[in-house]
Amino acid sequence: MDIIQKLEWRYAVKKFDPVKKLTAAQLDRITTATRLSASSYGLQPYKMLIIENPAIREKLKAASWNQSQVTDASHLVVFARVRDLNESHVDDYTNNIAATRNINPEDLAGFAGIMKGTVNRLDAAAAAVWTSKQAYLALGTLLTAAAAEGIDACPMEGFDANQYDEILGLKDKGLATVVTAAIGFRAEDDAMQHAKKVRKPIAELVEVI
């Protein structure tokens, strides 16, 4: 199938097959694809947590209004933003650029200054919104990559983020839960897989100016 057919095939799975699991290779491809997601400046101010532990997932299920996807999917992916975005994140990124491209870090001073200017202009609330947007970009890449690989997924916002943070100990890690995605394989009796996909028509959604 081409990418359009893959995206027609995907849907937000409501019932996963709890027996079917991703192979290590499949999980690696999904995480690698998500790592390559677009991000403003390339800064990636978030972390991708792969939750496998059954006991932890039971606790997260309770914090997700008992939605079965949390425990029945092969894996639960939690996207957590950086809580305190500051200049050190920019420094880490520019050092990574320098090492990856084998260039002098001093040559990146101008770019670093632009990024630090952006970071320093954001108050805590604005920074939370901006870093969350970056996590959502990564979520979109994960959903598309999963569809391309024939892997099912369900993006999820229906949970108590504060409880997730507590269960996963994220505050001590300087992180805060943004959004999650359950990934795995649909159950044969998940009726939603047979429902026609509903989207706005192109003529209504797209305007060429």
Side-chain angles (χ1 to χ4, degrees), residues 20 24 28 30 32 52 63 91 93 110 122-123 140 151 161 173 175 177 205 207:
K20 293 183 179 179
D28 181 68
I30 294 297
T32 298
E52 296 181 335
D91 291 334
Y93 177 45
L122 299 173
D123 61 21
I151 295 167
K173 297 178 181 179
L175 300 170
T177 303
L205 181 66
E207 179 179 355

Side-chain angles (χ1 to χ4, degrees), residues 58-71 156 158-159:
E58 283 293 343
K59 292 179 181 179
L60 295 176
K61 179 181 179 180
S64 307
W65 297 289
N66 291 314
Q67 295 180 83
S68 64
Q69 298 98 312
V70 174
T71 50
M156 303 177 71
F159 57 86

Side-chain angles (χ1 to χ4, degrees), residues 25-43:
Q26 287 173 320
L27 182 61
D28 181 68
R29 285 184 64 80
I30 294 297
T31 54
T32 298
T34 307
R35 171 181 174 266
L36 297 172
S37 179
S39 176
S40 185
Y41 298 123
L43 196 56

Side-chain angles (χ1 to χ4, degrees), residues 34 37-39 44-48 79-82 131 134-135 138 175:
T34 307
S37 179
S39 176
Q44 295 177 293
Y46 56 84
K47 193 163 186 176
M48 186 179 173
F79 289 92
R81 64 175 178 83
V82 169
T131 51
Q134 309 312 308
L175 300 170

Side-chain angles (χ1 to χ4, degrees), residues 85-103:
L85 185 66
N86 55 59
E87 292 189 1
S88 69
H89 296 100
V90 175
D91 291 334
D92 289 343
Y93 177 45
T94 51
N95 288 336
N96 191 9
I97 295 173
T100 301
R101 297 177 179 171
N102 194 28
I103 58 178

Side-chain angles (χ1 to χ4, degrees), residues 12 14 28 41 48 50 69 88 91 107 111 116 134 136 141 147 152 167 169 184 202 206:
K14 302 304 178 187
D28 181 68
Y41 298 123
M48 186 179 173
I50 310 296
Q69 298 98 312
S88 69
D91 291 334
D107 294 338
F111 182 43
K116 288 179 179 180
Q134 309 312 308
Y136 272 90
T141 300
D152 287 302
I167 293 166
I202 289 290
V206 178

